[in-house]
Amino acid sequence: MILNVSGRTDIVGFYMKWFIKRYQEGFIDVRNPFYPKQVSRIFFEDVDAILFCTKNPVPLLQYTNVLKKPFLVHVTITPYQKEIEPYVPSKRKTIDAIKKLASKIGKENIVIRYDPIFLSAHYSIQYHIKAFQKLCHLLNGATNRIIISFLDNYKNVEKNQTILQTFPFEKEDLKKLGLSFSQIARENGMTIQTCFEKEDLVEYGFIKGECLSKTLAFQLTGKVHYKKWKARGCNCVEMVDIGVYNTCPHRCKYCYANYREEEIVKNIVKHDENSSLL
């Protein structure tokens, strides 16, 4: 089993102490988001590896020696400002943390996610290219791999359209972004790819790949039995998510996981560091 920690909320950023307590106690309870009365217990002895997904890797730094399971870290860092990402830590703080993390666990175990990408009057193609160039320059030597994705039309995106003010990509936009990003990544010693995107940009120099392929899972765990993740429809191996929707205080305006922002504070109040449930 591979744990996804988490696609439903930023456990590393906000609930890392809770996670470490669960890890040390040997088990964790997870509620089914579609059937809340259904609770599953996961024993860490059955976990082969962990994929941490976060916008704030700082809390993870002090626990790298505690974790005895193989793990990867996906850090999402985008060029958006506070009207889009109200409570995400500063880019500089995140970049500094990524560099420290790379020195602890190796750059090959860190993946940067530049996603989601959207266009607006302010966040133009040229804006993204300039921001991406600066990001890759600052992270040169701290990662080998970058994954990008494009904005999907989630409920939160529709609700926040007056703030986001997005407009669609034209073919020329994709070409310009694809050629520029692939060149910038290459110049900084990084591969670049999409995962489960209609536009994979392979024709512009991107590689074809998954977030967590069978090959990578084997390299991490030495096991080959992992199934394709049918719930996602992509070619990633199957993972088990332990997060809870509507619990992330970052409050990003494009987020799929916070589809009822009014519930975030109510849910955070219910968090108990000593509970087996998040």
Side-chain angles (χ1 to χ4, degrees), residues 147-162:
I147 300 173
I148 73 159
S149 72
F150 298 100
L151 184 68
D152 290 314
N153 196 30
Y154 299 116
K155 289 181 181 178
N156 217 27
V157 171
E158 291 181 3
K159 187 170 66 176
N160 291 315
Q161 190 55 234
T162 54

Side-chain angles (χ1 to χ4, degrees), residues 71-139:
F71 66 92
L72 292 175
V73 184
H74 282 204
V75 182
T76 298
I77 182 165
T78 60
Y80 306 118
Q81 297 167 6
K82 291 298 182 183
E83 85 284 5
I84 307 297
E85 298 178 338
Y87 302 108
V88 173
S90 73
K91 314 297 187 242
R92 184 166 297 281
K93 183 179 178 181
T94 303
I95 289 168
D96 287 345
I98 293 168
K99 290 178 178 178
K100 290 175 183 175
L101 199 56
S103 70
K104 283 174 170 280
I105 67 172
K107 65 179 181 179
E108 67 278 5
N109 294 311
I110 298 174
V111 177
I112 303 302
R113 302 191 68 103
Y114 187 96
D115 78 281
I117 300 174
F118 69 83
L119 297 181
S120 68
H122 181 66
Y123 299 110
S124 64
I125 285 289
Q126 202 53 47
Y127 181 100
H128 280 291
I129 292 171
K130 186 177 178 182
F132 189 74
Q133 188 168 35
K134 184 176 181 181
L135 176 66
C136 288
H137 173 71
L138 290 171
L139 289 177

Side-chain angles (χ1 to χ4, degrees), residues 5 10-23 50 52 56-64 67 71 271 273 278:
V5 183
D10 196 332
I11 287 177
V12 173
F14 298 104
Y15 307 107
M16 196 62 194
K17 286 184 180 179
W18 168 81
F19 177 81
I20 293 297
K21 282 189 177 186
R22 300 317 321 142
Y23 179 81
I50 302 169
F52 290 109
N56 179 15
V58 172
L60 180 58
L61 289 171
Q62 63 181 303
Y63 297 115
T64 54
L67 297 163
F71 66 92
H271 174 65
E273 235 174 62
L278 181 60

